[in-house]
């Protein structure tokens, strides 16, 4: 048996799963309903109005940011959703976030939206990464339970 243990512990690398193939594709109606609070989040960011988030998020949720700095150092920041709501303030800059080809997975009353994004300030690319919206359906309405995203300034596509 001791001779078999090293063989059992070897890990065979496998390619990542293709995006959006974990569960059967979400019906169009479900996909549109799941995306509605995601798009409303982007509208709140563009309006710089955190109060627009209250009806579409669970306030007991979290915002998790995986930041890669200019120097390549990485850190994780966790903020309560309430801080995301109250921390969004009006300002002179114009914010815009664009999500590209999101994968949408739905299983009953849980769903997620995952996709590459770019974030622009006054029309200029500021940072990029991947967004992950963790969703729950409560009383027939989709809400954002948590948002996780990566953020970097290098390697962004325009």
């Amino acid at each position: 048996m001791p001779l078999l243990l090293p063989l059992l512990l070897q890990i065979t690398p496998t390619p990542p799963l293709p995006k959006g193939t974990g569960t059967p594709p979400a019906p169009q109606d479900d996909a549109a309903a799941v995306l509605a609070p995601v798009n409303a989040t982007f509208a709140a960011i563009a309006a710089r109005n955190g109060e627009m988030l209250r009806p579409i998020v669970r306030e007991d949720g979290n915002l998790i940011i995986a930041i890669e700095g200019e120097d390549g150092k990485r850190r994780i920041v966790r903020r309560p959703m309430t801080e995301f709501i109250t921390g969004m303030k009006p300002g002179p800059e114009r914010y815009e976030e664009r999500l590209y080809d999101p994968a949408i997975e739905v299983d009953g009353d849980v769903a997620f939206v995952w996709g590459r994004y770019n974030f622009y300030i006054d029309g200029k690319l500021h940072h990029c990464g991947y967004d992950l919206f963790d969703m729950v359906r409560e009383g027939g309405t989709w809400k954002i339970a948590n948002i996780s995203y990566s953020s970097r300034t290098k390697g962004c596509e325009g």
Side-chain angles (χ1 to χ4, degrees):
M1 185 69 162
L3 294 175
L4 292 176
L5 190 56
L7 294 174
L8 294 173
L9 295 178
Q10 290 181 354
I11 299 172
T12 304
T14 58
L17 291 172
K19 289 183 184 167
T21 61
T23 59
Q28 252 343 65
D29 290 346
D30 278 349
V34 167
L35 274 177
V38 172
N39 290 329
T41 299
F42 297 150
I45 290 168
R48 298 181 70 162
N49 182 348
E51 291 304 313
M52 292 172 65
L53 295 171
R54 283 197 197 274
I56 60 167
V57 301
R58 286 189 49 100
E59 290 191 35
D60 61 348
N62 292 293
L63 184 70
I64 308 286
I65 311 161
I67 300 169
E68 182 178 335
E70 288 281 332
D71 58 2
K73 290 186 181 178
R74 296 170 187 242
R75 63 188 172 103
I76 303 293
V77 175
R78 181 200 155 280
R79 293 193 176 117
M81 193 66 75
T82 53
E83 190 177 309
F84 181 43
I85 292 167
T86 60
M88 201 178 300
K89 304 289 184 199
E93 301 89 2
R94 185 173 42 90
Y95 290 172
E96 179 187 4
E97 185 163 350
R98 296 181 196 159
L99 185 64
Y100 300 94
D101 300 320
I104 302 165
E105 301 288 352
V106 179
D107 185 32
D109 290 331
V110 297
F112 74 81
V113 176
W114 162 269
R116 182 178 69 84
Y117 78 90
N118 286 342
F119 191 88
Y120 298 85
I121 298 178
D122 291 330
K124 182 180 176 193
L125 183 59
H126 185 265
H127 65 273
C128 66
Y130 278 81
D131 279 334
L132 173 62
F133 292 85
D134 174 15
M135 316 287 293
V136 293
R137 183 169 31 203
E138 297 178 317
T141 302
W142 287 103
K143 288 194 168 197
I144 298 168
N146 299 288
I147 302 171
S148 299
Y149 66 95
S150 58
S151 177
R152 65 181 176 281
T153 56
K154 294 181 181 178
C156 298
E157 301 173 25

